[in-house]
């Protein structure tokens, strides 16, 4: 009887091991199981984003055009009442922002982020094989499930661009965010006096200049009630302008600050997740993980903006520029070959 029970137990163990061998391996984890279970949801989201991508682009163009038209029709006439020097400031600064917004958005939408070339890649530092494309992946390359291709130095897929953000258009994406944020701050401040009167005061009131000016040379305005020729349209447009731009200021400001933080640390959005996981994993082993692509804040920004080789900040960043990023996105210099150190010892361990 004991021998029979032992054999039964052995057979049960063999059956259990055989069943596990069908789906279990050394790389299995709870996160992998969750990712596998959520694949139908991910597939649905990818298809929705892929189909709605052009709609998002049209929405960005439409909302931007609306804000600009309201500024021309309703805000600029108010600016003319404040003096010619303010008119010149708004015309120059406003069109400078608009020029940069249009340029960087167009380049972000139309520029390919870059993908690994086909053919022999043995001279490129291949780090892994893409499980979707079943092709070699250079360092910092990741697969985009929306575009269904591998992207060089992929940061994320942006539905507002209907494009992946990667090696060749990452700078365009960030500069679009920065100039768009500055533009919405500028419009929110400019429309505030009109918004205050329309929302908190008497709808249809405008500022009329007096015959004298203050010590700063700016006209002091009196609120004069009158029957507006614009009527309800003027009221609605002023409210729309302020609420739309102030909402973008908050949302886009948070997104821009997040990306500024990542670039300062020399990592992409995907790498931030990977680095965080590696930090936790190595911490359990008594090691400290260090990002191998972090050259320090100033050098990280120089590399990201593509400065060097006679490229200067004021010409290639302050003004629109189509210069290419540094490198080809296939090979990457590392700040150090060893990417983790021990907690209790000040030397760098050899990377395996």
């Amino acid at each position: 009887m004991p021998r029979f029970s032992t054999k039964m137990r052995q057979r049960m163990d063999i059956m259990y091991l055989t069943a596990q061998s069908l789906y279990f391996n050394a790389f299995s984890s709870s996160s992998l199981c969750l990712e596998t279970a959520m694949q139908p949801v991910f597939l649905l989201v990818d298809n929705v984003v892929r189909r709605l991508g052009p709609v998002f682009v049209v929405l960005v163009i439409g909302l931007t055009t609306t804000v600009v038209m309201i500024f021309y029709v309703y805000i600029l006439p108010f600016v003319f009442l404040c003096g010619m020097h303010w008119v010149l400031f708004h015309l120059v600064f406003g069109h400078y922002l608009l020029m940069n917004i249009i340029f960087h958005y167009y380049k972000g939408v139309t520029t390919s982020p870059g993908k690994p070339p086909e053919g022999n890649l043995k001279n490129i530092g291949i780090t892994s094989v893409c499980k979707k494309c079943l092709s070699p992946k250079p360092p910092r390359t990741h697969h985009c499930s929306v575009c269904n291709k591998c992207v060089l130095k992929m940061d994320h897929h942006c539905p507002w661009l209907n494009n992946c953000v990667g090696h060749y258009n990452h700078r365009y994406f960030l500069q679009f965010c920065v100039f768009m944020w500055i533009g919405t701050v500028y419009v929110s401040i400019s429309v505030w006096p009109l918004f205050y009167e329309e929302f908190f005061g008497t709808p249809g009131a405008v500022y009329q200049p007096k015959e004298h000016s203050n010590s700063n040379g700016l006209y002091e305005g009196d609120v004069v009630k009158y029957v507006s020729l614009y009527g309800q349209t003027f009221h609605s447009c002023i409210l729309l302008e302020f609420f739309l731009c102030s909402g973008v200021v908050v949302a886009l400001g948070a997104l821009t600050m997040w990306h500024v933080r990542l670039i300062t640390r020399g990592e992409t959005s995907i790498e931030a997740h990977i680095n965080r996981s590696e930090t936790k994993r190595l911490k359990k082993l008594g090691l400290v993980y260090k990002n191998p692509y972090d050259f320090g804040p100033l050098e990280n920004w120089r590399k990201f903006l593509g400065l060097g080789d006679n490229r200067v900040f004021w010409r290639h960043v302050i003004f629109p520029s189509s210069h290419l990023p540094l490198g080809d996105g296939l090979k990457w210099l590392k700040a150090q070959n060893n990417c983790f150190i021990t907690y209790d010892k000040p030397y760098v361990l050899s990377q395996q």
Side-chain angles (χ1 to χ4, degrees), residues 77-83 86 193-194 196-197 205-225:
F78 161 71
V79 173
F80 274 98
L81 302 176
C82 301
W86 282 111
L194 294 175
Y196 184 86
E197 285 302 324
V206 296
Y207 284 91
Q208 298 281 358
K210 285 186 177 180
E211 295 181 355
H212 63 277
S213 61
N214 58 23
S215 59
N216 294 324
L218 302 178
Y219 288 104
E220 296 176 355
D222 284 335
V223 179
V224 179
K225 299 179 181 179

Side-chain angles (χ1 to χ4, degrees), residues 112-187:
S112 172
K115 63 178 183 178
E118 299 179 357
N120 188 3
L121 302 179
K122 66 179 182 179
N123 294 326
I124 301 174
I126 303 301
T127 58
S128 61
V129 175
C130 177
K131 63 180 181 181
K132 301 291 182 62
C133 298
L134 298 179
S135 59
K137 288 197 306 183
R140 312 187 80 177
T141 299
H142 301 279
H143 186 88
C144 176
S145 55
V146 178
C147 298
N148 195 29
K149 64 180 181 181
C150 285
V151 176
L152 300 178
K153 207 196 81 170
M154 179 179 175
D155 187 89
H156 69 288
H157 182 91
C158 180
W160 301 105
L161 297 180
N162 190 30
N163 198 5
C164 274
V165 176
H167 179 61
Y168 287 103
N169 65 347
H170 197 175
R171 178 178 65 86
Y172 297 132
F173 164 77
L174 182 75
Q175 289 193 257
F176 165 72
C177 290
V178 170
F179 282 110
M180 178 64 82
W181 182 81
I182 296 175
T184 51
V185 171
Y186 160 71
V187 173

Side-chain angles (χ1 to χ4, degrees), residues 175 301 305 307-308 310-319:
Q175 289 193 257
W301 276 102
L305 296 174
L307 300 180
N310 298 323
R311 299 173 183 172
V312 292
F313 182 83
W314 71 269
R315 171 60 187 88
H316 294 87
V317 177
I318 299 299
F319 292 97

Side-chain angles (χ1 to χ4, degrees), residues 1-158:
M1 190 67 179
R3 182 179 300 179
F4 176 76
S5 60
T6 301
K7 289 184 177 181
M8 286 297 298
R9 190 179 302 109
Q10 290 176 348
R11 291 182 179 275
M12 292 295 295
D13 291 341
I14 293 174
M15 293 176 60
Y16 177 74
L17 181 61
T18 303
Q20 271 201 324
S21 67
L22 298 176
Y23 62 88
F24 181 84
N25 58 58
F27 298 99
S28 297
S29 62
S30 57
S31 60
L32 179 62
C33 294
L34 179 62
E35 179 183 353
T36 304
M38 294 293 291
Q39 280 299 320
V41 178
F42 295 152
L43 182 62
L44 175 63
V45 173
D46 292 341
N47 287 329
V48 171
V49 172
R50 186 183 300 113
R51 295 179 182 276
L52 292 183
V55 177
F56 283 117
V57 173
V58 173
L59 185 62
V60 171
I61 296 174
L63 292 177
T64 304
T65 303
T66 300
V67 169
V68 172
M69 293 303 297
I70 293 176
F71 192 92
Y72 275 122
V73 175
Y74 295 109
I75 301 178
L76 271 185
F78 161 71
V79 173
F80 274 98
L81 302 176
C82 301
M84 185 54 63
H85 54 289
W86 282 111
V87 174
L88 292 176
F89 167 77
H90 283 281
L91 289 177
V92 173
F93 185 67
H95 285 92
Y96 164 77
L97 292 177
L98 182 60
M99 172 184 65
N100 276 284
I101 290 172
I102 294 175
F103 174 82
H104 289 105
Y105 186 71
Y106 172 78
K107 296 295 288 186
V109 172
T110 59
T111 302
S112 172
K115 63 178 183 178
E118 299 179 357
N120 188 3
L121 302 179
K122 66 179 182 179
N123 294 326
I124 301 174
I126 303 301
T127 58
S128 61
V129 175
C130 177
K131 63 180 181 181
K132 301 291 182 62
C133 298
L134 298 179
S135 59
K137 288 197 306 183
R140 312 187 80 177
T141 299
H142 301 279
H143 186 88
C144 176
S145 55
V146 178
C147 298
N148 195 29
K149 64 180 181 181
C150 285
V151 176
L152 300 178
K153 207 196 81 170
M154 179 179 175
D155 187 89
H156 69 288
H157 182 91
C158 180

